[in-house]
Amino acid sequence: AFEPLAGAGPRGKKTSAAASPLRGPRPPLQDGADALCGAGVEYIPARHEGNAASMGDALARLSDELVLVSVHSGPGLSNAITGIGEAAKSRTPLLILAGDVATGDLRSNFYIEQAEMVRAVGATFERTHSPKTALRDATRAARAVVQDRRTVVLSLPVDVQDADLPIAYEYERGVIHSTLPAPDPKAIAAAAEELSRSKRPLILAGRGAVVAKAKQSLVSLADEVGALLATSAFAHGLFADCPWSLGISGGFASPAALELIPQSDFILGFGVSFTHWTTRKGTLIGKDTKLLQVDVDASRLGANRTIDYTIVGDARLTAEALRTELRQRTSTPGRATGWRNESVSQRIAQGGTHDLVYNDTSTSDHIDPRTLTKALDAILPLERVVVSDSGHFMGWPPLYFRVPDERGWCQLASFQSVGLGLASAIGAALAQPQRLVVLAAHVSRRA
C-alpha cells in the first residue's frame, strides 16, 4: 500500500524519482510509488486520500493524460470513496491504485469489502489476483480506463505486491491503444435518413463527446445539415466559439436555448444521457421531436427516456460516419442552411443569460449572487478554468461565468457532494497551469 498521491503522465519529460519539479524534494516513498516515479510518472502529494481522488478527477477531466490515484488499504480507500463516486458518475477516465490486505486476511483492521464499496458508487473494480496474473490484471484495468472510459479501482493485495514475478513471465512494455467502437452502418443509415428529413436539427453534446474529442467532428456535421448546437452542463464550453451554439441545455439554459431547443424536430445526442436535468424534466423536447442517442456504453442508451434511434459508438467516429453517409446520399454535398437564418442568429445573440433582466436584491449588507458572478466574469481574464463545487450557489457559475472551451469548466455535481472543490481546483491548476483557476464554493458566514 502506498501513501496517498495523485499522479499524472510524464507530460513530455521524465520526472526524477528523487524530486518533483512542482513540489521540490519529496518525502521517502515505499517501493510501489518509487517504481511509478522511476517509470516516469510525476509524483504530486495530496496529503489525504479524499484530496487525492478529487485532484485526480479534475486533472483527468481537464487533460488528455492517464491519471493515477494511489491510496492506502482500508480507510485509505474509504476516505477516497466520495471523490471516486464523483469521478465515476462524471464518466471520468481515472485509475485508482488501492492497497489491500493479504488475500484471506479477514481479521486485519484494514479489511473491508473493497469490491462492494467501489461498485456501490458506480466505479469499476479490478483486482491483481496473483503474481502470475498481476501484469495482465493491471493491463486489463488500464484498458478499461483508456478504452471503456471508466473510473477503475485496481486492488493490490499486499501478498501479491510482495511476491516475485514468475521468471518465465513474458511482458513487453508498450502503449495501451484504445480500440474505439465503430458504429453499425445500418444504424448510421437509419439516423442519416431521419436527419435528411429534418428541418430543425440540434446536436446535443455531453461529457462523452468531450472525452471523445469530438468537437470538430460535431461542428462539421452541424455545418453540413444546418444544425444548432448545445451541451449538457458537464460539457459546458465545448462549442464556446461557435456562433450557432445555444450553450447549456437544461436547468442552466439561456432564454434563447429555452425558446429554440423545444422547436427542434431531431435532437442528436452524443455522449449525453438525456437526464431530467439536461432536458428540464422533458420540457425541452417537443412532442414530435425525434431523438438519437450515441454512446460507447450500450447500457446508457434509453436509460432515462425513450429514444427513437440508438447507436453504440464513439461520438467522434459516429459524427464522421453520419457526415460521410449524408454526403454519399446527395450528388451535390455542401452546407445546408437548416434553421440557420438571421432571425435565429439574432435570437441567440440577444438571448444569453448575461442579457437576462432580473430584480437585483443586493443591499448594504449582501450582494445578489447573480450580480456578483456577472461582475467577477467581467473582471477576471477569460483564459480561465472555472471549478464549481456543489451547494445552493451552484446555479450561478454555469449561468454567468463564461469559459474559453471545454477544458475551462469543471462542475462537481454528479454525486452532489459538498466540499470537493478545493482539491479539484488544485487538480485543475495542474492540468491547465497557463490559466487562472476560479473556484466557486460556499463559505458559511460565522455568527
Side-chain angles (χ1 to χ4, degrees):
F2 316 143
E3 73 176 62
L5 61 93
R11 304 188 189 185
K13 64 179 182 179
K14 186 172 181 178
T15 300
S16 168
S20 165
L22 294 176
R23 295 291 183 271
R26 59 170 175 77
L29 303 178
Q30 297 185 21
D31 291 343
D34 274 329
L36 287 172
C37 292
V41 175
E42 183 179 7
Y43 171 72
I44 304 168
R47 298 298 181 186
H48 188 274
E49 295 89 353
N51 293 337
S54 293
M55 286 169 60
D57 178 21
L59 181 54
R61 292 193 203 194
L62 302 176
S63 70
D64 294 325
E65 297 171 340
L66 172 62
V67 178
L68 312 176
V69 173
S70 176
V71 299
H72 197 277
S73 58
L77 179 59
S78 65
N79 283 343
I81 202 66
T82 300
I84 292 171
E86 172 65 29
K89 294 175 187 296
S90 298
R91 307 180 72 174
T92 303
L94 181 66
L95 180 58
I96 296 92
L97 306 176
D100 201 357
V101 300
T103 305
D105 188 7
L106 305 185
R107 294 186 179 276
S108 169
N109 286 349
F110 290 138
Y111 173 75
I112 55 175
E113 286 289 348
Q114 287 193 343
E116 293 183 12
M117 177 180 288
V118 168
R119 290 168 182 153
V121 296
T124 298
F125 182 81
E126 294 286 356
R127 184 191 303 276
T128 50
H129 294 280
S130 70
K132 185 177 181 180
T133 66
L135 292 175
R136 288 195 295 271
D137 295 335
T139 301
R140 184 177 63 253
R143 182 170 286 111
V145 175
V146 174
Q147 181 169 304
D148 300 334
R149 298 162 182 169
R150 296 180 181 274
T151 299
V152 179
V153 174
L154 176 62
S155 174
L156 303 169
V158 171
D159 56 321
V160 179
Q161 291 190 49
D162 290 342
D164 293 327
L165 283 173
I167 296 176
Y169 198 108
E170 295 183 1
Y171 176 69
E172 181 180 352
R173 287 179 177 268
V175 178
I176 297 175
H177 295 285
S178 177
T179 304
L180 301 175
D184 181 0
K186 291 183 179 179
I188 289 292
E193 179 63 28
E194 183 67 47
L195 187 53
S196 66
R197 295 193 297 264
S198 173
K199 302 299 182 184
R200 297 181 303 279
L202 173 79
I203 289 178
L204 177 61
R207 269 284 301 164
V210 174
V211 175
K213 304 180 185 66
K215 174 186 174 178
Q216 191 52 56
S217 299
L218 294 175
V219 171
S220 297
L221 176 62
D223 289 342
E224 187 74 23
V225 298
L228 301 185
L229 297 145
T231 72
S232 69
F234 292 98
H236 182 34
L238 183 63
F239 304 126
D241 58 349
C242 300
W244 297 104
S245 172
L246 298 173
I248 297 175
S249 171
F252 306 131
S254 68
L258 292 176
E259 176 186 335
L260 294 173
I261 292 176
Q263 298 180 35
S264 306
D265 57 12
F266 189 23
I267 299 179
L268 297 84
F270 291 84
V272 66
S273 297
F274 287 102
T275 65
H276 66 272
W277 290 291
T278 302
T279 65
R280 212 176 179 97
K281 295 184 178 180
T283 60
L284 292 183
I285 298 176
K287 183 180 67 173
D288 299 320
T289 302
K290 301 295 184 181
L291 299 179
L292 164 70
Q293 186 178 1
V294 179
D295 206 295
V296 294
D297 185 351
S299 68
R300 293 180 179 269
L301 300 177
N304 293 300
R305 63 176 301 114
T306 301
I307 303 294
D308 301 285
Y309 302 92
T310 59
I311 297 178
V312 177
D314 172 76
R316 178 179 60 81
L317 294 181
T318 302
E320 292 171 355
L322 270 173
R323 185 166 180 258
T324 299
E325 177 71 17
L326 288 169
R327 291 201 151 204
Q328 291 175 348
R329 287 168 175 258
T330 176
S331 58
T332 57
R335 298 193 175 191
T337 57
W339 56 340
R340 294 185 176 187
N341 54 52
E342 185 62 28
S343 174
V344 172
S345 177
Q346 290 181 2
R347 186 68 190 104
I348 293 173
Q350 298 171 3
T353 52
H354 277 257
D355 302 309
L356 183 63
V357 178
Y358 63 92
N359 179 30
D360 191 337
T361 62
S362 299
T363 68
S364 58
D365 296 322
H366 78 274
I367 185 171
D368 189 308
R370 295 165 292 187
T371 303
L372 172 64
T373 312
K374 289 178 66 174
L376 290 173
D377 175 75
I379 293 170
L380 299 174
L382 182 59
E383 196 63 20
R384 65 182 68 148
V385 181
V386 177
V387 178
S388 179
D389 206 335
S390 287
H392 288 168
F393 69 91
M394 61 185 289
W396 313 127
L399 283 172
Y400 298 112
F401 269 127
R402 295 166 297 160
V403 292
D405 51 36
E406 70 278 15
R407 302 295 189 190
W409 176 249
C410 183
Q411 184 174 34
L412 309 169
S414 291
F415 207 9
Q416 299 191 9
S417 170
V418 175
L420 304 182
L422 182 58
S424 298
I426 295 172
L430 292 166
Q432 301 285 329
Q434 77 283 6
R435 291 177 168 174
L436 174 71
V437 175
V438 181
L439 170 62
H442 174 73
V443 179
S444 299
R445 184 175 64 180
R446 292 185 179 180

